[in-house]
Amino acid sequence: MDGRDLVRSVKSVGSVGAAQGLRTVRAAWRRRRADAIGLPPRGPERARVPGTLREVEPGLGGGLLRFDRSELRIFVAVNGAVFWGWDGAAAEPSYALAGRGPDPDPRAALEPDKDGGWRVVAERVTVVVSRHGAVEVLTPGGVTLRRDLPPRWWEPVGGGAARWMQRSEVAADARFFGLGGRASGPRLRDGTYRLWNTGPGRAGGRGDDPSSVTMPVQMVVADAGTHLVFHDSSWDGTVTLREGAEGAGSGHDRAGTSELRMDGGPLRCWAMVGTPARVLLAWASLTGAPALPPAWALGHHHVPDAVAGEEGVRRAVAEHREHGLPLDAVHLGVGHFDARQVFTVDQERFPKLPVLAEELRLEGIGMVSVVGPAVGAVPGTSVYDEGTGRDAFVRDASGEVVEGVGWPGEVVFPDFTHAGVRAWWGGLYEERLAQGFAGFWHSLDEPTSFTAFGEATLPRSARHALEGRGGDHREAHNVYGLCMAEAAYEGLRERAPLERPFVFSRSGWAGMQRYGGAWSGAAPAGWPGLRASLSLVLGLGLCGVPCSGPDVGGLEDGRSPELFLRGLQLGAHLPFFRTHGGPRAGGGEPWRFGAEVVEHARAALVERRRLRPYFRTLAHLARRTGAPFVRPLWWAAPEERALRDCEDAFLLGDALLVAPVLAPGTDRRAVRLPRGRWYDTATGRAYDGPAQVWVDAPLGRIPVFARGGAVLPVLAEDGGQELEVWAPARGRTGGGLVVPDTGDERAEPEAERYTVRWSGPRIVVEREGEDGAVEPSCPVRVRGTEQGRGQM
């Protein structure tokens, strides 16, 4: 136990009570002692590099290259992705992949290259391997996107997991994105980023950015093209990034660099090349299609004060109704269940929970339960006794069940890396379903103790099944939340087959989109938290998790009305939109701030309700293409450098551009517009990009622009669906995809494709049918035909 552990533990004594604080101190000492005993000493190490290429064995889609001290397997897959693995590392087993990995592309072959190297040429990418083990990824035109230098390993002389390091070079103009959800993003500046899921218990700055969802996934954008790389190892590690610099025409450019250091695991990598949309389509085909949320989950969620019991929940719902604030889901926190068990309702606070759930359902409101992995170590309670009988809990190196500190006090943790444990845990959600819950949010699933200030609860030496391979927490930690989400998702699919599972997790890893979305927990406080919240959502979207969002309000004291409103307006345009209530000053309930705030909040919530059909379409398109709801401005034009550096606005699908207010006292702001015609949705004024424009941003709204020619499905005033069509510029056409609502939660209907064109003085909107153009399936409202031009 180091000094930081002790200080944090002592602080927790004052914050959660002496008894709980002392438990935290003891748990920290136990973790330290377990690791001292259970982890092998590192001892002397031997450095190794691949050496010189000696032998080549061509194979399907690539082949095997043998060096003096290592071997490299490389192939191009049928989806256009490239795989390479050192020291016999294969694509499987992998927690990131959806089922078996893609087959090799039979059209690609390994062939000799210059200077004793070899190359694989495919339709979308060329990969060159030098005779010393450097791997270079090039565009089909031969322009280098990334060059991995020969890797290096440090192997313990006495045996054990080898550390390794991979240095890479990218173009001087390249920009880095990704690495999971990063508060200091979305563009990742120079610094070191840790790859270890950490509870949001402390603030992080640039280069010191704790995150509950970390992934060794980089999306790199440069003039020459975009590529995504994924180093498939779940061990603890760091990525040190350094952007390059151009020589101002002198020819002396400095390449950008990435240095990945991992404490263990296989050195294997996937790379995808193309436009951002093509790259994420290949990534989704590799790691799995995003789960479809139920329709109600795309609306406004609220977390009332669960400690106040059933009447407190009813009171919060009634307040929303009385103030005309749309509400689609209510989340119940830890106050709604027995602290000793994960799946047992507190009968004193919630004596008739199914009745409450039915009341909410009749109002169109889903009820969501928080679930954490920690199980109270209380003999005689059902979950603990069942888990003990199944040997479901994580043990240490000596064979003893590991105990930590959680909501109930002393707790134990299921080993979700065991298929049998996942199946058992998934079955426990039946109790929640019987109580009327429609969805679940996972918290503390890093796993982290709520009193440990973001520190890991399980020792690194703790043993895990890892699907029968066996290993310890150093490998299992980052995938723990992913496996818990899988357990819940599969359990819900089996027990409620007519409903789409709703599972949102605080922690996860590559591939977590297969089971649901992510919520970011407590973002940094104050105004920096708004920028951080947007960065987290953008970063996760570029890593293949299209549906995510922060908590709005209620997580800090003294929140100003202006800060609350600006956070609400931002959150209303993000995929997962949840507000927090409670008795704190600055809680996330508009009526706590007065009538003016309620009026402005109502406008934001009504607009979110109006856009829900558009969010539904984005969810279906994300499932089919991997494209995120929220996209950086450079999404469709990554070659435009001014857009690559813009971090204070985003695209919501293809149709909308949202420019949130991220600083206090702002009533007017600059907005950079991509190429094309854009309409200010509040005033109808038209602007032509690329350009930077100044627009009003009064307290009651944030600037939102619609792309000329866009087709948005929205709710009409009568409650039905209509198409909001924005006129293209004269001489131009437009269109879009709309996924209709069939009313069947199980269905994945075909997308309707619309075209928009001028015909003389009027706009014609047509739906593409099998035999040509047909009438739209719902009413159409055309906008942007009569308003003037805006000022640049």
Side-chain angles (χ1 to χ4, degrees):
M1 181 176 185
D2 60 21
R4 288 184 301 173
D5 283 330
L6 183 58
V7 168
R8 289 170 181 157
S9 299
V10 170
K11 283 183 178 179
S12 72
V13 172
S15 62
V16 298
Q20 194 77 317
L22 291 175
R23 291 192 188 102
T24 304
V25 173
R26 288 197 297 268
W29 278 111
R30 288 198 300 265
R31 287 197 305 273
R32 186 75 172 182
R33 185 173 63 250
D35 286 344
I37 298 172
L39 291 178
R42 175 63 61 176
E45 294 178 319
R46 181 186 298 109
R48 172 170 63 88
V49 294
T52 304
L53 181 61
R54 296 301 185 192
E55 183 182 359
V56 175
E57 182 181 318
L60 193 63
L64 184 66
L65 298 91
R66 296 187 176 91
F67 295 80
D68 288 334
R69 291 173 291 278
S70 187
E71 66 179 29
L72 173 68
R73 182 178 302 278
I74 187 168
F75 69 86
V76 177
V78 290
N79 67 347
V82 183
F83 172 83
W84 64 89
W86 288 94
D87 285 355
E92 301 174 65
S94 169
Y95 280 104
L97 301 188
R100 298 188 59 83
D103 295 328
D105 186 349
R107 299 170 297 175
L110 193 63
E111 57 187 44
D113 196 51
K114 60 184 180 181
D115 300 327
W118 288 73
R119 66 181 181 181
V120 181
V121 180
E123 179 183 3
R124 302 175 187 171
V125 64
T126 296
V127 187
V128 176
V129 182
S130 77
R131 63 190 183 95
H132 293 296
V135 179
E136 196 168 2
V137 179
L138 302 91
T139 67
V143 179
T144 299
L145 295 177
R146 188 181 193 91
R147 184 172 186 267
D148 280 8
L149 302 179
R152 177 171 295 184
W153 295 266
W154 288 269
E155 300 170 331
V157 173
R163 298 184 295 125
W164 53 265
M165 180 266 288
Q166 176 68 72
R167 287 195 179 118
S168 307
E169 296 177 347
V170 297
D173 67 284
R175 298 289 182 260
F176 296 99
F177 300 86
L179 297 183
R182 298 289 173 170
S184 62
R187 173 183 161 194
L188 302 175
R189 265 71 168 193
D190 296 358
T192 299
Y193 300 86
R194 191 177 179 192
L195 298 170
W196 185 258
N197 291 349
T198 306
R202 61 185 176 89
R206 183 167 297 158
D208 179 24
D209 193 2
S211 172
S212 54
V213 183
T214 66
M215 303 180 196
V217 178
Q218 296 179 27
M219 182 174 280
V220 184
V221 182
D223 288 353
T226 300
H227 71 277
L228 180 147
V229 293
F230 167 52
H231 289 87
D232 193 355
S233 171
S234 61
W235 285 61
D236 193 1
T238 60
V239 179
T240 301
L241 301 177
R242 183 186 182 193
E243 291 183 347
E246 295 179 288
S250 68
H252 297 287
D253 292 353
R254 174 170 57 82
T257 60
S258 168
E259 182 178 284
L260 174 63
R261 291 179 176 267
M262 301 295 286
D263 286 350
L267 202 175
R268 56 186 179 179
C269 182
W270 289 91
M272 282 135 270
V273 174
T275 63
R278 184 182 291 274
V279 162
L280 283 185
L281 176 62
W283 178 243
S285 72
L286 187 70
T287 60
L292 270 175
W296 58 264
L298 295 171
H300 170 219
H301 301 234
H302 184 67
V303 187
D305 182 16
V307 176
E310 290 182 7
E311 292 311 310
V313 174
R314 288 189 176 94
R315 187 163 54 249
V317 172
E319 290 277 13
H320 279 83
R321 187 190 312 115
E322 291 168 12
H323 289 95
L325 304 173
L327 182 62
D328 301 282
V330 167
H331 290 227
L332 301 188
V334 296
H336 80 280
F337 57 73
D338 185 337
R340 299 177 305 165
Q341 299 209 70
V342 183
F343 294 99
T344 302
V345 172
D346 185 331
Q347 292 296 325
E348 292 185 6
R349 291 194 180 111
F350 293 88
K352 297 180 180 179
L353 191 54
V355 175
L356 173 63
E358 180 62 15
E359 292 175 6
L360 296 177
R361 188 189 67 80
L362 292 175
E363 291 192 46
I365 299 173
M367 193 169 70
V368 179
S369 170
V370 67
V371 177
V375 175
V378 183
T381 55
S382 60
V383 177
Y384 177 77
D385 287 349
E386 284 183 29
T388 300
R390 294 172 177 269
D391 193 20
F393 301 124
V394 176
R395 296 180 178 270
D396 62 20
S398 66
E400 296 295 320
V401 173
V402 176
E403 291 191 355
V405 179
W407 292 322
E410 296 288 341
V411 295
V412 293
F413 295 88
D415 181 7
F416 293 121
T417 69
H418 189 292
V421 174
R422 289 197 298 272
W424 164 68
W425 186 266
L428 298 177
Y429 286 75
E430 187 168 357
E431 187 273 345
R432 304 275 86 184
L433 293 173
Q435 296 290 338
F437 286 102
F440 302 89
W441 53 291
H442 291 172
S443 186
L444 306 180
D445 51 337
E446 288 81 12
T448 295
S449 165
F450 78 106
T451 61
F453 291 82
E455 295 301 305
T457 298
L458 293 172
R460 291 170 175 257
S461 58
R463 296 302 192 248
H464 290 268
L466 291 167
E467 316 311 323
R469 293 179 286 112
D472 58 40
H473 197 63
R474 293 175 296 174
E475 181 179 358
H477 176 83
N478 281 339
V479 299
Y480 190 88
L482 169 76
C483 294
M484 180 181 176
E486 179 185 0
Y489 183 84
E490 296 299 339
L492 293 171
R493 280 213 311 176
E494 180 179 344
R495 286 155 185 84
L498 301 183
E499 305 292 335
R500 293 179 194 155
F502 176 77
V503 178
F504 257 59
S505 305
R506 192 173 81 175
S507 182
W509 204 61
M512 66 179 295
Q513 75 278 356
R514 299 190 297 265
Y515 313 117
W519 66 284
S520 59
W527 289 95
L530 299 189
R531 191 175 294 271
S533 297
L534 176 56
S535 297
L536 290 164
V537 174
L538 281 166
L540 285 169
L542 295 176
C543 291
V545 185
C547 199
S548 65
D551 281 324
V552 177
L555 297 177
E556 59 184 85
D557 292 332
R559 178 175 289 254
S560 71
E562 182 189 14
L563 176 58
F564 169 75
L565 267 179
R566 294 311 193 187
L568 188 75
Q569 292 160 351
L570 169 61
H573 292 89
L574 298 180
F576 178 55
F577 176 34
R578 186 171 78 171
T579 55
H580 249 277
R584 291 184 174 193
E589 291 160 337
W591 52 88
R592 296 180 182 272
F593 298 99
E596 182 183 11
V597 171
V598 169
E599 180 182 353
H600 294 326
R602 184 185 304 115
L605 296 177
V606 167
E607 179 64 6
R608 174 59 178 236
R609 174 66 64 85
R610 192 181 76 92
L611 289 175
R612 216 169 80 172
Y614 182 52
F615 277 92
R616 184 182 64 245
T617 287
L618 293 180
H620 279 274
L621 296 181
R623 179 166 179 81
R624 299 170 197 191
T625 68
F629 296 43
V630 169
R631 308 165 186 178
L633 293 190
W634 49 259
W635 175 259
E639 70 281 357
E640 295 191 20
R641 296 190 180 188
L643 298 181
R644 294 208 295 257
D645 295 337
C646 183
E647 301 177 285
D648 63 352
F650 61 91
L651 298 174
L652 181 57
D654 287 330
L656 297 178
L657 187 156
V658 182
V661 172
L662 305 175
T666 301
D667 58 8
R668 189 170 172 81
R669 60 154 292 174
V671 181
R672 184 165 294 280
L673 300 176
R675 191 175 306 277
R677 173 156 293 183
W678 296 89
Y679 295 91
D680 185 327
T681 58
T683 65
R685 288 188 173 273
Y687 301 85
D688 289 325
Q692 179 171 284
V693 301
W694 282 89
V695 294
D696 292 333
L699 187 61
R701 63 176 175 85
I702 56 176
V704 177
F705 294 82
R707 188 190 300 272
V711 179
L712 283 83
V714 298
L715 285 181
E717 293 183 0
D718 62 3
Q721 182 171 304
E722 69 178 11
L723 298 182
E724 182 176 273
V725 176
W726 290 87
R730 285 281 184 176
R732 300 285 184 177
T733 60
L737 295 174
V738 173
V739 178
D741 183 9
T742 63
D744 183 356
E745 283 286 292
R746 299 168 296 175
E748 295 188 31
E750 290 296 321
E752 298 175 346
R753 184 179 297 274
Y754 287 89
T755 58
V756 181
R757 59 183 175 84
W758 283 95
S759 178
R762 67 189 187 93
I763 295 288
V764 176
V765 181
E766 297 174 324
R767 178 164 59 97
E768 294 184 7
E770 295 182 359
D771 300 320
V774 298
E775 288 294 319
S777 59
C778 58
V780 175
R781 182 164 62 99
V782 178
R783 299 187 62 185
T785 58
E786 299 177 355
Q787 296 297 329
R789 298 290 300 281
Q791 299 297 312
M792 302 298 177

